[in-house]
Amino acid sequence: TRTLYSSDAAGILRLSDTLRQQVQAGGTLASFTSQARLFDLKSRRDTAMFDVVLSPRRDLDVKFNLKTAKREGTQPWAVTLGGHSNVTEVAAPIDTRTIDATTDLEWSNARATLRAGYAGSWFDNPVESLILDNPLRFTDSATAPAQGRLALWPSSTLHSVTGAGSLKLAANTRATGNITIGTWLQNQPLLPFTTNTALRVLPLERATTDGEIRTVAMNYVVTSRPAPTLWFNARFRYYDLNNRTPELHIDERVRYDSGIVLSPGLATEAFNQTRHTLDLDTSFTPLTFTAFRVGYGREWVDRTHRIFEQTIEDVLRASADFSWSLGMARAIVERSVRRGTGDPEAELAAIGEQPAMRHFDIADRDRNRVTGLLQFTPLSVLAFSASAAYGHDDYRNSGFGLRDNKNRIVTVGADLTPGEIVGFGLTYAWEKYSALQNSRQATRAQFNDATRNWSIDSADRNNTLTATLDLLKVIPRIESRLSYSFTRSNYAYVYRVPAGSTLAAPVQLPPVRNELNTGMVDLRYLLTSKIRLGVTYQYDGYRVDDFALNPGTINRIDLPGMLALGYVYRPYTANTVWTRLIYLF
């Protein structure tokens, strides 16, 4: 990658004064791009882990785990300075450390299990904000800043305690349950509204975040087999996220570092969520090799500050399994319906959005899934398998946003094992994922103009071929495994406008293509009956053609309306070798 920025301190990126002065006076960035320095955009993570298990008694375990991860380097980061028309891409610094510690006390016997535990996580980031010069301005003005600042990841902590138990009951019944209570804490200093010295300083209601979230998670399961032909399973899950962070009231704010906006009554919103999930399943086996299963599930979620205050999803599922001397077959059918309660039109209108828009993660949705599997073994050394799946999500009440989603998967395979020392497998998979999204390109005056609607059809097609060959001790004391996989993916976008549209006819984009070839050779040499030495070689060959990040698209760092880093997707090959020593106790 290339950049015109330099850094004299962590989290501060500067441009030359000459560059900014000349650009502000009417010059262009193009005359300075030859000065951009070339550097490797990279990061490194070092991880250390320590595990210990003490068993002072046969029925008692004391466990402790400590893990620490340090990550350093840079990553791409996009910043807007004074509006969306001035986008700057920089290398944001990474200098974080995470420490996770868990301890558990577990007691168990033939009938029951009890466990109590604590988990803590500490995240530290000494560089919590990024300051960078505006490439288009050298001096502050009431409409444009000379520099910008944005928050990076704040330091935070997490603590949780867990209690769990399991009890074996009569009639082949077992009950298990656990509860975890947690606290998330973050109290780092809040950033000022702006770095623009041409604007007056707006006071903050408080200096630090004072952030706190409390969580409660519970999981209860009862499994019973009262008769050889009958099986029941009931599961209930509960999760509550209680955001206790105080509101921050904002009567005035700075928009894009370019002007003060009055916003009386505006305040931050503490997102809360309570989720309940109930699953009931029963299986009936009237014949030795035949089983029928039906299930029902319900999930109801209460949320704050979303266009639906509550969503409820009901799921019905059924499956049938058949087996015989030469194979087995399974069929699975699932139907789910999700509905939201509240007044989304009013919520969206209040914030100036299209009333017909819906957010796909909580929108009304009808989902249907069908899956079939077949295994056929005509000979003891030969087996065939096939599976097919179809899924359809219909967002029936979404005028804008994700409207429809379909997926289709077909897989066929064969395994040949002519002897104990040789095995061969071949699998082919075809996948297609498609989606329809609707939108409207409109100014405020065109807000209700349906002739400005447009849509995008996307289709992702994948083909994967995998072959494996196991040679166990064909050569004395050597186990060898060979594998090869080829994957080809094509992702296409098709833009459409309705008849009578006032929009210009869309120019279609070329499809995105990816190919990955992976070959592996794994060898193990038996030094003794308990010691083995292993060596593995892996080859990866990747080819990509992506219109967004091709060298033909990003061939300069001063793109229209953007100062970029200039990184692109490139084909590559990778050769990896690793060794290991295995000791069998």
PDB file of all heavy atoms in Angstrom, residues 113-131:
ATOM      1  N   THR A 113     -23.961 -33.758  38.390  1.00  0.00           N
ATOM      2  CA  THR A 113     -22.794 -32.924  38.142  1.00  0.00           C
ATOM      3  C   THR A 113     -23.101 -31.510  38.623  1.00  0.00           C
ATOM      4  O   THR A 113     -24.189 -30.987  38.367  1.00  0.00           O
ATOM      5  CB  THR A 113     -22.436 -32.887  36.643  1.00  0.00           C
ATOM      6  OG1 THR A 113     -22.133 -34.205  36.197  1.00  0.00           O
ATOM      7  CG2 THR A 113     -21.240 -31.985  36.390  1.00  0.00           C
ATOM      8  N   LEU A 114     -22.142 -30.905  39.315  1.00  0.00           N
ATOM      9  CA  LEU A 114     -22.269 -29.516  39.747  1.00  0.00           C
ATOM     10  C   LEU A 114     -21.012 -28.768  39.328  1.00  0.00           C
ATOM     11  O   LEU A 114     -19.897 -29.298  39.419  1.00  0.00           O
ATOM     12  CB  LEU A 114     -22.443 -29.419  41.266  1.00  0.00           C
ATOM     13  CG  LEU A 114     -23.749 -29.966  41.849  1.00  0.00           C
ATOM     14  CD1 LEU A 114     -23.711 -29.903  43.378  1.00  0.00           C
ATOM     15  CD2 LEU A 114     -24.947 -29.170  41.317  1.00  0.00           C
ATOM     16  N   ARG A 115     -21.210 -27.512  38.870  1.00  0.00           N
ATOM     17  CA  ARG A 115     -20.066 -26.717  38.430  1.00  0.00           C
ATOM     18  C   ARG A 115     -20.273 -25.261  38.803  1.00  0.00           C
ATOM     19  O   ARG A 115     -21.383 -24.727  38.682  1.00  0.00           O
ATOM     20  CB  ARG A 115     -19.864 -26.827  36.915  1.00  0.00           C
ATOM     21  CG  ARG A 115     -18.648 -26.072  36.392  1.00  0.00           C
ATOM     22  CD  ARG A 115     -18.416 -26.372  34.919  1.00  0.00           C
ATOM     23  NE  ARG A 115     -19.465 -25.822  34.076  1.00  0.00           N
ATOM     24  CZ  ARG A 115     -19.444 -24.569  33.577  1.00  0.00           C
ATOM     25  NH1 ARG A 115     -18.439 -23.763  33.878  1.00  0.00           N
ATOM     26  NH2 ARG A 115     -20.415 -24.161  32.809  1.00  0.00           N
ATOM     27  N   ALA A 116     -19.219 -24.623  39.270  1.00  0.00           N
ATOM     28  CA  ALA A 116     -19.221 -23.195  39.541  1.00  0.00           C
ATOM     29  C   ALA A 116     -17.969 -22.597  38.919  1.00  0.00           C
ATOM     30  O   ALA A 116     -16.892 -23.208  38.969  1.00  0.00           O
ATOM     31  CB  ALA A 116     -19.246 -22.915  41.042  1.00  0.00           C
ATOM     32  N   GLY A 117     -18.113 -21.417  38.307  1.00  0.00           N
ATOM     33  CA  GLY A 117     -16.964 -20.854  37.621  1.00  0.00           C
ATOM     34  C   GLY A 117     -16.994 -19.341  37.549  1.00  0.00           C
ATOM     35  O   GLY A 117     -18.034 -18.697  37.764  1.00  0.00           O
ATOM     36  N   TYR A 118     -15.825 -18.786  37.256  1.00  0.00           N
ATOM     37  CA  TYR A 118     -15.667 -17.342  37.058  1.00  0.00           C
ATOM     38  C   TYR A 118     -14.891 -17.127  35.766  1.00  0.00           C
ATOM     39  O   TYR A 118     -13.960 -17.884  35.432  1.00  0.00           O
ATOM     40  CB  TYR A 118     -14.914 -16.704  38.226  1.00  0.00           C
ATOM     41  CG  TYR A 118     -14.349 -15.338  37.896  1.00  0.00           C
ATOM     42  CD1 TYR A 118     -15.152 -14.209  37.927  1.00  0.00           C
ATOM     43  CD2 TYR A 118     -13.014 -15.202  37.497  1.00  0.00           C
ATOM     44  CE1 TYR A 118     -14.642 -12.957  37.590  1.00  0.00           C
ATOM     45  CE2 TYR A 118     -12.491 -13.953  37.164  1.00  0.00           C
ATOM     46  CZ  TYR A 118     -13.312 -12.835  37.209  1.00  0.00           C
ATOM     47  OH  TYR A 118     -12.811 -11.609  36.865  1.00  0.00           O
ATOM     48  N   ALA A 119     -15.256 -16.078  35.016  1.00  0.00           N
ATOM     49  CA  ALA A 119     -14.530 -15.696  33.809  1.00  0.00           C
ATOM     50  C   ALA A 119     -14.319 -14.188  33.826  1.00  0.00           C
ATOM     51  O   ALA A 119     -15.230 -13.422  34.155  1.00  0.00           O
ATOM     52  CB  ALA A 119     -15.297 -16.111  32.556  1.00  0.00           C
ATOM     53  N   GLY A 120     -13.125 -13.784  33.483  1.00  0.00           N
ATOM     54  CA  GLY A 120     -12.809 -12.368  33.386  1.00  0.00           C
ATOM     55  C   GLY A 120     -12.065 -12.081  32.100  1.00  0.00           C
ATOM     56  O   GLY A 120     -11.289 -12.915  31.623  1.00  0.00           O
ATOM     57  N   SER A 121     -12.314 -10.902  31.524  1.00  0.00           N
ATOM     58  CA  SER A 121     -11.634 -10.506  30.294  1.00  0.00           C
ATOM     59  C   SER A 121     -11.258  -9.033  30.409  1.00  0.00           C
ATOM     60  O   SER A 121     -12.101  -8.201  30.759  1.00  0.00           O
ATOM     61  CB  SER A 121     -12.532 -10.738  29.072  1.00  0.00           C
ATOM     62  OG  SER A 121     -11.873 -10.370  27.883  1.00  0.00           O
ATOM     63  N   TRP A 122      -9.995  -8.744  30.098  1.00  0.00           N
ATOM     64  CA  TRP A 122      -9.495  -7.379  30.172  1.00  0.00           C
ATOM     65  C   TRP A 122      -8.932  -6.998  28.808  1.00  0.00           C
ATOM     66  O   TRP A 122      -8.019  -7.651  28.297  1.00  0.00           O
ATOM     67  CB  TRP A 122      -8.405  -7.269  31.233  1.00  0.00           C
ATOM     68  CG  TRP A 122      -8.897  -7.519  32.619  1.00  0.00           C
ATOM     69  CD1 TRP A 122      -9.272  -6.604  33.549  1.00  0.00           C
ATOM     70  CD2 TRP A 122      -9.055  -8.812  33.245  1.00  0.00           C
ATOM     71  NE1 TRP A 122      -9.679  -7.217  34.709  1.00  0.00           N
ATOM     72  CE2 TRP A 122      -9.545  -8.575  34.559  1.00  0.00           C
ATOM     73  CE3 TRP A 122      -8.852 -10.124  32.831  1.00  0.00           C
ATOM     74  CZ2 TRP A 122      -9.827  -9.612  35.438  1.00  0.00           C
ATOM     75  CZ3 TRP A 122      -9.134 -11.157  33.706  1.00  0.00           C
ATOM     76  CH2 TRP A 122      -9.603 -10.899  34.996  1.00  0.00           C
ATOM     77  N   PHE A 123      -9.504  -5.948  28.208  1.00  0.00           N
ATOM     78  CA  PHE A 123      -9.053  -5.464  26.901  1.00  0.00           C
ATOM     79  C   PHE A 123      -8.429  -4.093  27.088  1.00  0.00           C
ATOM     80  O   PHE A 123      -9.047  -3.190  27.677  1.00  0.00           O
ATOM     81  CB  PHE A 123     -10.228  -5.382  25.928  1.00  0.00           C
ATOM     82  CG  PHE A 123      -9.864  -4.753  24.599  1.00  0.00           C
ATOM     83  CD1 PHE A 123      -9.175  -5.479  23.653  1.00  0.00           C
ATOM     84  CD2 PHE A 123     -10.212  -3.438  24.314  1.00  0.00           C
ATOM     85  CE1 PHE A 123      -8.834  -4.903  22.435  1.00  0.00           C
ATOM     86  CE2 PHE A 123      -9.876  -2.854  23.104  1.00  0.00           C
ATOM     87  CZ  PHE A 123      -9.190  -3.597  22.157  1.00  0.00           C
ATOM     88  N   ASP A 124      -7.197  -3.939  26.599  1.00  0.00           N
ATOM     89  CA  ASP A 124      -6.479  -2.680  26.765  1.00  0.00           C
ATOM     90  C   ASP A 124      -6.022  -2.162  25.408  1.00  0.00           C
ATOM     91  O   ASP A 124      -5.403  -2.894  24.625  1.00  0.00           O
ATOM     92  CB  ASP A 124      -5.259  -2.874  27.678  1.00  0.00           C
ATOM     93  CG  ASP A 124      -4.487  -1.568  27.856  1.00  0.00           C
ATOM     94  OD1 ASP A 124      -5.072  -0.595  28.357  1.00  0.00           O
ATOM     95  OD2 ASP A 124      -3.305  -1.543  27.470  1.00  0.00           O
ATOM     96  N   ASN A 125      -6.338  -0.907  25.132  1.00  0.00           N
ATOM     97  CA  ASN A 125      -5.913  -0.245  23.904  1.00  0.00           C
ATOM     98  C   ASN A 125      -5.378   1.139  24.265  1.00  0.00           C
ATOM     99  O   ASN A 125      -6.153   2.051  24.563  1.00  0.00           O
ATOM    100  CB  ASN A 125      -7.081  -0.112  22.921  1.00  0.00           C
ATOM    101  CG  ASN A 125      -6.654   0.564  21.628  1.00  0.00           C
ATOM    102  OD1 ASN A 125      -5.483   0.622  21.301  1.00  0.00           O
ATOM    103  ND2 ASN A 125      -7.627   1.075  20.887  1.00  0.00           N
ATOM    104  N   PRO A 126      -4.069   1.322  24.268  1.00  0.00           N
ATOM    105  CA  PRO A 126      -3.514   2.628  24.636  1.00  0.00           C
ATOM    106  C   PRO A 126      -3.767   3.711  23.594  1.00  0.00           C
ATOM    107  O   PRO A 126      -3.610   4.899  23.891  1.00  0.00           O
ATOM    108  CB  PRO A 126      -2.016   2.345  24.787  1.00  0.00           C
ATOM    109  CG  PRO A 126      -1.768   1.143  23.941  1.00  0.00           C
ATOM    110  CD  PRO A 126      -3.016   0.329  24.017  1.00  0.00           C
ATOM    111  N   VAL A 127      -4.156   3.331  22.364  1.00  0.00           N
ATOM    112  CA  VAL A 127      -4.442   4.307  21.310  1.00  0.00           C
ATOM    113  C   VAL A 127      -5.942   4.265  21.041  1.00  0.00           C
ATOM    114  O   VAL A 127      -6.411   3.478  20.214  1.00  0.00           O
ATOM    115  CB  VAL A 127      -3.644   4.004  20.028  1.00  0.00           C
ATOM    116  CG1 VAL A 127      -3.846   5.121  19.007  1.00  0.00           C
ATOM    117  CG2 VAL A 127      -2.170   3.817  20.328  1.00  0.00           C
ATOM    118  N   GLU A 128      -6.700   5.096  21.742  1.00  0.00           N
ATOM    119  CA  GLU A 128      -8.158   5.028  21.677  1.00  0.00           C
ATOM    120  C   GLU A 128      -8.770   6.027  20.707  1.00  0.00           C
ATOM    121  O   GLU A 128      -9.995   6.078  20.577  1.00  0.00           O
ATOM    122  CB  GLU A 128      -8.762   5.218  23.063  1.00  0.00           C
ATOM    123  CG  GLU A 128      -8.419   4.077  24.013  1.00  0.00           C
ATOM    124  CD  GLU A 128      -9.234   4.127  25.283  1.00  0.00           C
ATOM    125  OE1 GLU A 128      -9.848   5.169  25.562  1.00  0.00           O
ATOM    126  OE2 GLU A 128      -9.270   3.102  26.002  1.00  0.00           O
ATOM    127  N   SER A 129      -7.949   6.837  20.033  1.00  0.00           N
ATOM    128  CA  SER A 129      -8.490   7.758  19.037  1.00  0.00           C
ATOM    129  C   SER A 129      -7.471   7.954  17.930  1.00  0.00           C
ATOM    130  O   SER A 129      -6.265   7.703  18.104  1.00  0.00           O
ATOM    131  CB  SER A 129      -8.855   9.108  19.664  1.00  0.00           C
ATOM    132  OG  SER A 129      -7.690   9.794  20.083  1.00  0.00           O
ATOM    133  N   LEU A 130      -7.954   8.393  16.784  1.00  0.00           N
ATOM    134  CA  LEU A 130      -7.115   8.615  15.609  1.00  0.00           C
ATOM    135  C   LEU A 130      -7.315  10.063  15.154  1.00  0.00           C
ATOM    136  O   LEU A 130      -8.445  10.500  14.923  1.00  0.00           O
ATOM    137  CB  LEU A 130      -7.518   7.641  14.495  1.00  0.00           C
ATOM    138  CG  LEU A 130      -6.764   7.762  13.170  1.00  0.00           C
ATOM    139  CD1 LEU A 130      -5.298   7.427  13.368  1.00  0.00           C
ATOM    140  CD2 LEU A 130      -7.383   6.839  12.128  1.00  0.00           C
ATOM    141  N   ILE A 131      -6.224  10.799  15.055  1.00  0.00           N
ATOM    142  CA  ILE A 131      -6.235  12.185  14.576  1.00  0.00           C
ATOM    143  C   ILE A 131      -5.481  12.224  13.252  1.00  0.00           C
ATOM    144  O   ILE A 131      -4.372  11.694  13.142  1.00  0.00           O
ATOM    145  CB  ILE A 131      -5.577  13.138  15.592  1.00  0.00           C
ATOM    146  CG1 ILE A 131      -6.361  13.138  16.911  1.00  0.00           C
ATOM    147  CG2 ILE A 131      -5.479  14.546  15.031  1.00  0.00           C
ATOM    148  CD1 ILE A 131      -5.719  13.964  18.002  1.00  0.00           C
TER     149      ILE A 131
END
